Amino acid sequence: MTLPANDFNEKYAAIDGKGIGESITSPTASQWDTILNAAMKNISGTAYPTGGTTTGVYLPYSSISGTNTITGGGIYVEGDASSVQLSTGTDSSGNSTQIYTITQGATTTTVTTDIGANTTTVHSASSTLTLAGVPSNLNNSPATPATMLYVDGNIGNSSGTGTGLSGPGQGVAAIQDGAAVTVTAKSNITITGDILYKTEPVTLTQNQTVSGTSPACCNGDPADTLIPGANKGQALGIFTATGNIDLNNQQSNGNLEVDASMATISTGGSGGLTNTGSAINTLNIVGGRIQNTIQNINTTTRNIFFDRRYAPGSGLRRPGFRPRP
């Protein structure tokens, strides 16, 4: 496999929903500003500045037949984000929603994607913007809902300032059924708490009994067994081409679980999964781990469960790591 030289495809994916085949394969900073200006707007409808900026949350949308409509693949955050929280919700009609809460300094922006209602809502301070459509993978025909959240900087920091990347609380679901999400940062990503699927796709212990499954699962089976009926399209990728994924666990019992396929890879890179906080008692990773270098994760018990939905021929594609042109 040829390793990526950078994260340009992920950045493009947030903009255009494709991430491959762009006419400019290695844009300069000025060219990026032009590309972003043409496609991305903030909650007020202001286009990304052609001269660049240091902060802000932007989405790809434009007016189509008089309605502000999502035209690309995700959420673009300029500059560092002290906090990115992933959480699940339900709208007034009972549709499931995926929520992204992004904090930069004193500004918090919440983006809610609602596949059932086919809307994306952006809220910050007293302003609310409702857009038709949801971020999607436009390489597919028809397009399929999928969100690339790209941060052009760090998410959190290794010293623990800010809450970094996390779910809403220990043991609480962060990724909604049916939500395909990739979180990419230009630099480091600091994980401070559990990031869990609403529905766990595989067992985490041997002889685990999972209620409500048909056929009954999974007493007599080893850990990491696919749970019947648990593939609900939930997928999370966490990626940085040139940084580390730092673990700075803030949970009081010292345990941490991340349900994601995580990658810190690039050509000639040195990225890895590393612990920058207190020792972790038990670390569970449900998905996979791909890294340039092996680093110290300072963990008493480490369990890496391969999400077997990504096995060859299974039909589910590993999120976020898009093919290079």
Side-chain angles (χ1 to χ4, degrees):
M1 181 182 73
T2 301
L3 297 182
N6 49 55
D7 62 7
F8 289 174
N9 289 98
E10 284 71 28
K11 192 171 182 176
Y12 268 129
I15 298 167
D16 68 2
K18 295 181 179 179
I20 58 174
E22 277 68 24
S23 58
I24 305 174
T25 56
S26 296
T28 64
S30 176
Q31 287 171 324
W32 271 125
D33 291 344
T34 300
I35 292 166
L36 288 161
N37 171 262
M40 309 297 276
K41 299 182 180 70
N42 65 15
I43 191 172
S44 300
T46 303
Y48 186 95
T50 55
T53 186
T54 58
T55 188
V57 176
Y58 295 84
L59 283 86
Y61 69 93
S62 62
S63 179
I64 299 176
S65 300
T67 300
N68 284 328
T69 303
I70 289 284
T71 56
I75 304 163
Y76 181 89
V77 181
E78 185 57 75
D80 294 342
S82 59
S83 172
V84 173
Q85 184 188 94
L86 307 173
S87 58
T88 67
T90 306
D91 71 11
S92 58
S93 298
N95 295 315
S96 298
T97 61
Q98 180 65 48
I99 304 169
Y100 309 83
T101 304
I102 302 155
T103 302
Q104 294 184 290
T107 302
T108 296
T109 303
T110 302
V111 180
T112 302
T113 58
D114 188 333
I115 295 173
N118 195 33
T119 59
T120 298
T121 303
V122 188
H123 180 80
S124 185
S126 59
S127 298
T128 299
L129 171 69
T130 299
L131 305 169
V134 296
S136 296
N137 181 349
L138 299 178
N139 289 306
N140 294 337
S141 182
T144 54
T147 299
M148 174 68 72
L149 194 163
Y150 182 91
V151 177
D152 196 34
N154 299 289
I155 299 178
N157 61 65
S158 58
S159 65
T161 303
T163 56
L165 179 64
S166 70
Q170 188 163 28
V172 182
I175 300 297
Q176 184 65 266
D177 291 345
V181 178
T182 301
V183 176
T184 300
K186 180 178 181 180
S187 301
N188 296 328
I189 300 171
T190 300
I191 295 175
T192 59
D194 281 358
I195 307 174
L196 307 180
Y197 291 133
K198 180 178 179 180
T199 301
E200 203 68 70
V202 299
T203 59
L204 304 187
T205 61
Q206 63 179 357
N207 300 320
Q208 181 177 335
T209 300
V210 182
S211 61
T213 55
S214 180
C217 178
C218 297
N219 190 21
D221 294 321
D224 206 9
T225 295
L226 278 171
I227 300 172
N231 182 6
K232 298 181 180 296
Q234 68 278 38
L236 174 62
I238 301 174
F239 175 67
T240 173
T242 58
N244 288 330
I245 295 178
D246 296 322
L247 304 178
N248 190 333
N249 187 23
Q250 303 296 306
Q251 297 176 156
S252 59
N253 66 359
N255 298 329
L256 179 66
E257 181 174 331
V258 182
D259 294 351
S261 181
M262 297 188 283
T264 56
I265 51 172
S266 62
T267 301
S270 59
L273 190 67
T274 183
N275 191 343
T276 58
S278 301
I280 298 171
N281 292 330
T282 298
L283 171 65
N284 288 337
I285 297 173
V286 181
R289 179 187 65 174
I290 311 166
Q291 52 193 358
N292 275 115
T293 61
I294 301 298
Q295 302 188 33
N296 179 21
I297 60 171
N298 193 16
T299 298
T300 301
T301 301
R302 177 184 59 193
N303 302 310
I304 300 178
F305 302 97
F306 174 59
D307 189 338
R308 296 180 183 277
R309 297 178 301 158
Y310 299 130
S314 64
L316 184 66
R317 187 171 177 272
R318 196 179 295 267
F321 316 132
R322 297 171 185 260
R324 263 61 190 174

